[in-house]
C-alpha cells in the first residue's frame, strides 16, 4: 500500500478518509443508485471500479488535462471568483 500524501497547498482536493473527493464521488453516486433500486452490492463494486479507473487515469496525465479535455467537448471550466471581494470599493471596467 502506498503512503497517502497529506495535502499542503490550498489547491489540492479535499480528502475523505484515504481518497480525494473527485475519486470518491463515483463510488457514492453508484452506492446511492444501488440503494434506490435494490442492488447495493453490485453498484458499490461498479462504483469502486470506476473510481479506481478514474484515479489511474487522473494520475497518469498532467495537471489540468481533464479541464482541457472537457473544454474541447463543450464544458468550460470556471476559474473566476464566486463572490465579489467585500473590501473592494471601486469597480472599474
Amino acid at each position: 500500500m502506498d503512503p497517502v500524501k497529506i495535502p499542503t497547498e490550498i489547491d489540492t482536493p479535499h480528502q475523505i478518509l484515504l481518497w480525494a473527493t473527485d475519486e470518491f464521488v463515483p463510488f457514492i453516486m453508484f452506492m446511492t443508485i444501488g440503494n434506490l433500486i435494490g442492488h447495493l452490492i453490485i453498484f458499490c463494486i461498479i462504483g469502486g471500479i470506476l473510481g479506481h479507473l478514474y484515479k489511474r487515469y487522473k494520475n497518469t496525465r498532467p495537471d489540468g488535462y481533464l479541464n482541457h479535455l472537457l473544454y474541447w467537448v463543450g464544458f468550460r471550466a470556471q476559474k473566476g471568483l464566486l463572490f465579489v471581494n467585500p473590501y473592494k470599493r471601486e469597480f472599474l471596467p
Side-chain angles (χ1 to χ4, degrees):
M1 182 174 186
D2 296 330
V4 177
K5 295 169 88 177
I6 297 173
T8 56
E9 292 112 17
I10 198 165
D11 292 340
T12 56
H14 295 285
Q15 296 287 120
I16 299 174
L17 298 176
L18 298 175
W19 303 280
T21 52
D22 58 344
E23 298 165 1
F24 197 62
V25 166
F27 176 75
I28 292 296
M29 184 177 66
F30 275 90
M31 184 179 75
T32 304
I33 293 170
N35 192 18
L36 290 174
I37 65 172
H39 298 307
L40 182 63
I41 302 297
I42 295 170
F43 277 80
C44 281
I45 292 170
I46 292 171
I49 290 170
L50 287 177
H52 178 71
L53 291 175
Y54 173 71
K55 179 180 177 182
R56 284 183 50 198
Y57 181 80
K58 185 179 83 169
N59 289 338
T60 58
R61 304 286 190 255
D63 290 337
Y65 182 80
L66 287 176
N67 287 338
H68 180 74
L69 184 66
L70 288 175
Y71 174 79
W72 289 107
V73 173
F75 297 102
R76 194 173 139 210
Q78 300 293 326
K79 293 195 178 199
L81 297 174
L82 187 60
F83 300 106
V84 177
N85 185 357
Y87 298 111
K88 190 172 182 178
R89 299 288 181 206
E90 295 179 11
F91 294 97
L92 302 174

